[in-house]
Amino acid sequence: DAMQHQAQLDKAKQIGGNNGYDYSDCFTLISPTILAADYAVCNLEVPLGGGPDYTGYPCFSAPDSYAEALRDAGFDMMLTANNHCLDRRDKAARRTLSALDNLKIDHIGTYNNAAQRDSLVPFIKNINGFKVGFLNYTYGTNGIEPKDGIEVSLIDKDMMKKEISSTRN
């Protein structure tokens, strides 16, 4: 899980000063291990809310520089379906997808709409000659309902069975 509590946000802002939030040193100790992986996956447990205010618990929101630091540390994919994905509602969920696309980070779990989900699930990645399928689900979104067509991959046994079968084919 990658998430930001208020103390971490405050420290990144202090380090970044007038240049925003700086996470450049946060992952230096684990980055060699992550970079050594053929493909590293992380649960992004915060929306990238776009600011100007970012918050920790209970409704998380992190700056794009956090995801950028995770990417630079070696993470290749972000799982976005989790209980905090709608903490800043649909607008931030969509913004998170756009930010991850701009950072060229693979992501699954939340989608702009059902058509996008249908086109991206299952997510199959060729990793060193092996096809690996990824699926991502969450038990809920802390009582916040998705609106305006946003898709969150919620645990639904029938849907999961269908998507697992599709992934195997």
Side-chain angles (χ1 to χ4, degrees):
D1 284 355
M3 64 189 328
Q4 293 281 274
H5 285 276
Q6 195 60 51
Q8 295 158 313
L9 284 160
D10 293 344
K11 185 66 174 179
K13 186 173 185 178
Q14 177 190 359
I15 293 168
N18 293 332
N19 296 321
Y21 292 76
D22 185 345
Y23 297 92
S24 58
D25 290 336
C26 287
F27 304 106
T28 55
L29 296 176
I30 63 169
S31 183
T33 302
I34 299 166
L35 287 166
D38 293 331
Y39 193 76
V41 180
C42 174
N43 179 39
L44 184 63
E45 189 116 12
V46 295
L48 304 173
D53 298 320
Y54 300 103
T55 54
Y57 183 83
C59 288
F60 292 93
S61 179
D64 295 358
S65 58
Y66 183 60
E68 186 176 348
L70 289 166
R71 180 204 59 201
D72 293 347
F75 286 105
D76 302 293
M77 173 187 270
M78 302 290 166
L79 305 176
T80 58
N82 56 64
N83 61 306
H84 290 289
C85 66
L86 294 178
D87 278 4
R88 290 287 182 102
R89 308 305 188 263
D90 297 29
K91 182 178 178 183
R94 282 196 170 88
R95 195 187 170 290
T96 300
L97 300 175
S98 177
L100 295 174
D101 286 342
N102 289 336
L103 291 169
K104 299 188 180 355
I105 300 172
D106 292 339
H107 55 87
I108 60 168
T110 57
Y111 308 92
N112 286 306
N113 53 51
Q116 183 185 41
R117 180 181 181 171
D118 290 346
S119 73
L120 297 175
V121 176
F123 183 87
I124 309 290
K125 187 78 174 179
N126 187 320
I127 303 170
N128 295 333
F130 293 92
K131 287 184 178 181
V132 181
F134 294 90
L135 299 168
N136 172 222
Y137 305 94
T138 183
Y139 65 88
T141 55
N142 296 335
I144 302 169
E145 294 294 324
K147 296 180 181 172
D148 299 324
I150 194 85
E151 286 283 315
V152 177
S153 292
L154 297 170
I155 292 173
D156 172 324
K157 290 181 183 181
D158 292 332
M159 177 67 80
M160 292 167 69
K161 183 176 179 179
K162 177 183 158 204
E163 290 178 352
I164 291 168
S165 177
S166 178
T167 302
R168 288 183 174 154
N169 295 330

